[in-house]
Amino acid sequence: MDRRHALVRPALVALSTAAMLITGCASRPADPQPTPEPTSTVRLGTAARAEVGARLTVTASIDRVLTRAAFVVRDADLTKGRLLVLSGDPAPAEPPQLVTVSGTVIEFSYRDLSARYDLGSFGPYRDFEGGRALVAEEVTIWK
């Protein structure tokens, strides 16, 4: 029986090793599993996430001109799709021109900024009150 046991044991070890090698090499990699919630590849709300005082550059189309020193740009990456831009220079373009604006992010307060930028009546700024705005240092118009 020792001789038989001596022949069977190596055969079983070789057989189990072969089975592990075959199943390990032949197995298909697991399919990627979907995430529980879809994730966006677009960085939405860029201006809302920016810290007050941070530099920000935005390329977007002009939605409307409010005054000589204030205009609104619209783009999917912006907070609620739009951003108030304040500029010391007259509004450079008309809707729907594309502009690139570089400047500093501020928290918009009509009361604090009205006189400085000659904003006119409060009505057009109501939706921006307490939110982020961009004080333009450079505006490039794309034609």
Side-chain angles (χ1 to χ4, degrees):
M1 194 119 144
D2 285 330
R3 182 173 155 85
R4 187 174 168 190
H5 182 63
L7 293 175
V8 172
R9 184 174 178 147
L12 287 175
V13 169
L15 183 61
S16 64
T17 302
M20 287 192 306
L21 287 173
I22 290 171
T23 59
C25 293
S27 68
R28 222 179 74 173
D31 291 332
Q33 298 298 313
T35 56
E37 292 182 26
T39 55
S40 174
T41 57
V42 177
R43 293 179 40 180
L44 298 176
T46 304
R49 286 196 321 268
E51 296 289 327
V52 171
R55 298 257 318 131
L56 182 66
T57 299
V58 173
T59 299
S61 63
I62 293 182
D63 182 54
R64 59 191 160 129
V65 176
L66 303 174
T67 66
R68 291 175 42 87
F71 59 97
V72 178
V73 293
R74 181 173 295 279
D75 187 80
D77 287 345
L78 300 174
T79 307
K80 297 180 184 176
R82 60 204 164 104
L83 177 66
L84 175 64
V85 177
L86 303 173
S87 176
D89 298 325
E94 294 294 323
Q97 283 184 300
L98 189 66
V99 294
T100 297
V101 182
S102 295
T104 304
V105 176
I106 63 165
E107 185 172 326
F108 180 73
S109 167
Y110 176 82
R111 186 183 68 195
D112 295 343
L113 298 167
S114 178
R116 180 176 183 183
Y117 290 99
D118 193 23
L119 298 179
S121 67
F122 176 69
Y125 304 96
R126 185 178 324 260
D127 292 341
F128 299 103
E129 187 67 28
R132 301 289 193 254
L134 186 62
V135 174
E137 294 164 15
E138 183 179 341
V139 178
T140 304
I141 304 168
W142 300 99
K143 296 182 183 193

